[in-house]
């Protein structure tokens, strides 16, 4: 399964989600994207959209 983690910094339990995803990594493809960066340009946002469309499961934390 392709799992995408979008790191938004919005949720206080992010460490729990990250720990759970790390346990899934041996059996699944886990990709993390940090959306908190303020220097993201159009190309970076295009990659985010492509990653969302390519994933089986998208999680934001």
């Amino acid at each position: 399964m392709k799992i995408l983690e979008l790191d938004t910094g919005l949720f206080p339990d992010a460490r729990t989600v990250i720990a759970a995803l790390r346990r899934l990594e041996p059996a699944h493809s886990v990709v993390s994207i940090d959306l908190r960066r303020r220097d993201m340009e159009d190309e970076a946002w295009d990659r985010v959209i492509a990653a969302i469309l390519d994933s089986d499961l998208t999680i934001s934390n």
Side-chain angles (χ1 to χ4, degrees):
M1 177 183 288
K2 294 179 184 178
I3 301 171
L4 173 63
E5 172 202 4
L6 299 176
D7 186 356
T8 62
L10 297 176
F11 300 101
D13 64 343
R15 288 185 183 189
T16 304
V17 172
I18 292 168
L21 289 173
R22 297 309 162 249
R23 294 189 74 191
L24 292 173
E25 281 182 325
H28 302 283
S29 169
V30 179
V31 173
S32 298
I33 299 176
D34 186 355
L35 297 181
R36 296 174 296 161
R37 294 181 27 217
R38 296 184 184 258
D39 64 342
M40 290 180 64
E41 296 186 5
D42 289 344
E43 296 84 21
W45 286 109
D46 289 344
R47 288 191 296 274
V48 170
I49 297 301
I52 291 170
L53 293 173
D54 189 47
S55 70
D56 297 312
L57 175 66
T58 302
I59 298 172
S60 62
N61 69 18

